[in-house]
Amino acid sequence: LRSLSVLFGVGSIGLMWLLARRLVGLRPAAVATALLAVSSLSIAHAQEARFYALTQFLALLGSWLLCRMLDRLRWVDALWYVVAMSILVWTHTFGWFVLAAHAVWLIAAACKGRDADPRRRRMLALGAVSGLAIVLSFSPWLPILFEQISGVRRGYWISEPPWSNLLGCLREMLILDRLMRWPIVILAVLIASITAARLLRHRPKPAQSRSDGLGGIPLRSSDLWGLVAWMVLPILVPFVWSKLSTPIFQIKYAIVAQAPALILLAVGAVRRPLLVATALALLTVCWPPNADRGLVVEDWPAVAHLLRERADPGGTIFVYRDYGYFPLDYYLGDGWRLTPVFTEGHTTTAFAIYYPDGGITFEEMTRRLASSNEGDAWLVLRWETPQRREALADQLGQFRNVQALHRFRALDVIQFQRR
């Protein structure tokens, strides 16, 4: 199941090279491709049996095909563009924001020509026909989409995002993989920065043509408009929508807009390598270690093995935080009494329909721990940050004494004492 995401994640690296080389030249393309290859966000989603790696792959593929269509103005390129973008909008609704960015890209490219320029008219014709074809390809799903939207208005698991999430998107897109370890990150970027600075200092003066060897090529204004729109629209439009109407915005959806951010960052890295490399290293090193997406694997098999050895099947095993119930139920098998505990707040009602009838809220769990005196009571706790972990431990300590605490990767198993 995960191998498909791996393939699309690796394929995205190749597409990044092709797209960035066309837009900014060899050296910035190499930097952008390297950044994508060690990106925390991309690596995290390339590990998941979900569609996010495919979404990034298709956004890159569609953008590269758009560039080919604008350069060659051939209907065969438009056909392949329609195929790629149709699959993208069927894969994730945020693909429509990428398509909107492509419309800005195409209009910016067409505005460079004169009104009577046949290339301009052909460019607009290709864009209009392609956009119409993509909309028509999606039309069978429109009734279901409207039904989903009406259902979301009645209640949804996504909460209204704070303004800090805009900065969080940018941060997620730029953080490098922590598995590189911060001393290696700093050493590598310093060596690369010094080398790049020397190359830039002794580079020959660029020729008058667009291509100037390894130093990159000037970014066309139309391409700049397209990259900025691609980076901004899939983030800003859903964010504003979430503020004014039903929340649909999640930081992880920023993966669809990561590529243009890295390309623009690569251009800056070629021009100011030491500054950009230092900022990336500090950002990667200073980010809290357990907030990295997908880099801490939850060790559910080990938790299930511990409970099978020490817990009583007739006892109570609370599983706290959404989705935690399902993997533990899978690894434990039949004959165990698991009680799922919902996260506090807005998500309680949204997730409740997926759980068995025995699900309770966090407040109900604390009341049961305070009022009952069960001899075999356990809590499996999923935690995101060390601070959150300690706060929960202090809170639960008010109701029961801890007999044993077993720590696994991103999971704690707590055994309570009688009082």
Side-chain angles (χ1 to χ4, degrees):
L1 290 176
R2 296 172 186 268
S3 64
L4 287 174
S5 291
V6 174
L7 291 175
F8 288 124
V10 175
S12 295
I13 299 172
L15 285 173
M16 171 66 101
W17 166 255
L18 294 175
L19 178 63
R21 186 178 62 177
R22 183 269 181 192
L23 294 175
V24 294
L26 292 176
R27 183 180 293 170
V31 174
T33 306
L35 289 175
L36 183 66
V38 295
S39 162
S40 173
L41 186 65
S42 295
I43 292 174
H45 289 305
Q47 300 176 31
E48 295 185 356
R50 304 191 73 184
F51 49 78
Y52 295 112
L54 174 61
T55 302
Q56 184 181 53
F57 176 86
L58 291 171
L60 277 162
L61 178 61
S63 300
W64 179 67
L65 290 171
L66 174 69
C67 289
R68 284 175 62 89
M69 184 177 72
L70 296 179
D71 290 341
R72 307 197 305 180
L73 298 181
R74 294 171 53 182
W75 285 103
V76 65
D77 295 323
L79 175 62
W80 285 114
Y81 173 74
V82 169
V83 172
M85 293 303 294
S86 297
I87 299 174
L88 174 60
V89 296
W90 276 88
T91 301
H92 198 291
T93 312
F94 272 47
W96 289 106
F97 302 122
V98 179
L99 186 63
H102 287 177
V104 173
W105 202 331
L106 185 142
I107 293 172
C111 287
K112 294 178 62 178
R114 299 178 180 177
D115 292 342
D117 187 352
R119 282 184 54 85
R120 180 173 184 257
R121 292 199 301 269
R122 187 175 179 84
M123 190 181 298
L124 292 174
L126 284 170
V129 173
S130 300
L132 179 61
I134 295 168
V135 173
L136 290 176
S137 74
F138 191 76
S139 58
W141 190 259
L142 285 176
I144 302 175
L145 178 62
F146 294 143
E147 182 181 346
Q148 289 177 331
I149 292 174
S150 63
V152 164
R153 288 173 179 167
R154 293 192 295 268
Y156 199 42
W157 66 275
I158 298 179
S159 303
E160 180 181 337
W163 289 101
S164 60
N165 276 12
L166 288 177
L167 181 60
C169 274
L170 185 62
R171 187 173 55 205
E172 286 278 352
M173 290 190 290
L174 300 184
I175 289 177
L176 306 182
D177 184 6
R178 288 191 65 89
L179 295 178
M180 296 175 64
R181 304 301 178 190
W182 65 266
I184 301 177
V185 172
I186 293 180
L187 180 62
V189 296
L190 285 179
I191 293 174
S193 301
I194 294 171
T195 304
R198 289 180 177 177
L199 290 174
L200 289 173
R201 192 179 302 118
H202 297 96
R203 67 180 179 180
K205 292 185 178 180
Q208 295 300 317
S209 63
R210 259 183 63 78
S211 176
D212 59 353
L214 295 178
I217 56 179
L219 188 61
R220 296 170 178 168
S221 59
S222 58
D223 293 337
L224 178 60
W225 274 102
L227 289 174
V228 171
W230 181 11
M231 182 178 67
V232 171
L233 291 182
I235 295 175
L236 191 59
V237 174
F239 183 86
V240 173
W241 177 282
S242 299
K243 283 292 188 182
L244 300 178
S245 183
T246 305
I248 60 172
F249 176 84
Q250 280 274 284
I251 290 181
K252 62 184 177 181
Y253 299 161
I255 191 170
V256 78
Q258 183 183 26
L262 295 182
I263 292 174
L264 295 174
L265 180 68
V267 174
V270 169
R271 297 178 181 178
R272 296 287 186 270
L274 187 60
L275 179 64
V276 173
T278 303
L280 280 175
L282 290 175
L283 185 63
T284 301
V285 172
C286 296
W287 186 241
N290 292 304
D292 292 341
R293 296 195 51 76
L295 299 180
V296 179
V297 180
E298 296 169 355
D299 202 350
W300 290 107
V303 171
H305 179 73
L306 171 74
L307 292 174
R308 280 196 298 268
E309 280 191 341
R310 304 193 182 186
D312 181 0
T316 301
I317 302 175
F318 299 104
V319 188
Y320 176 63
R321 287 196 65 80
D322 300 315
Y323 296 129
Y325 167 84
F326 303 106
L328 186 58
D329 181 60
Y330 171 79
Y331 284 112
L332 273 178
D334 297 331
W336 294 84
R337 191 176 71 180
L338 301 182
T339 302
V341 181
F342 307 134
T343 305
E344 312 94 319
H346 177 72
T347 57
T348 299
T349 55
F351 279 128
I353 60 173
Y354 301 111
Y355 285 95
D357 295 335
I360 60 176
T361 64
F362 182 82
E363 291 77 9
E364 290 172 330
M365 181 191 72
T366 56
R367 286 197 294 269
R368 281 181 57 175
L369 289 174
S371 60
S372 68
N373 201 23
E374 299 175 78
D376 198 71
W378 298 74
L379 170 64
V380 180
L381 169 66
R382 294 177 63 223
W383 51 276
E384 294 177 327
T385 63
Q387 294 80 8
R388 177 65 174 160
R389 175 197 217 179
E390 298 302 327
L392 284 170
D394 293 341
Q395 187 174 359
L396 294 171
Q398 301 174 13
F399 307 103
R400 279 290 188 97
N401 295 328
V402 175
Q403 179 175 336
L405 172 62
H406 309 274
R407 294 185 172 180
F408 300 91
R409 285 179 294 179
L411 299 166
D412 285 350
V413 180
I414 301 173
Q415 183 178 8
F416 294 108
Q417 280 182 330
R418 290 179 182 269
R419 277 193 171 180

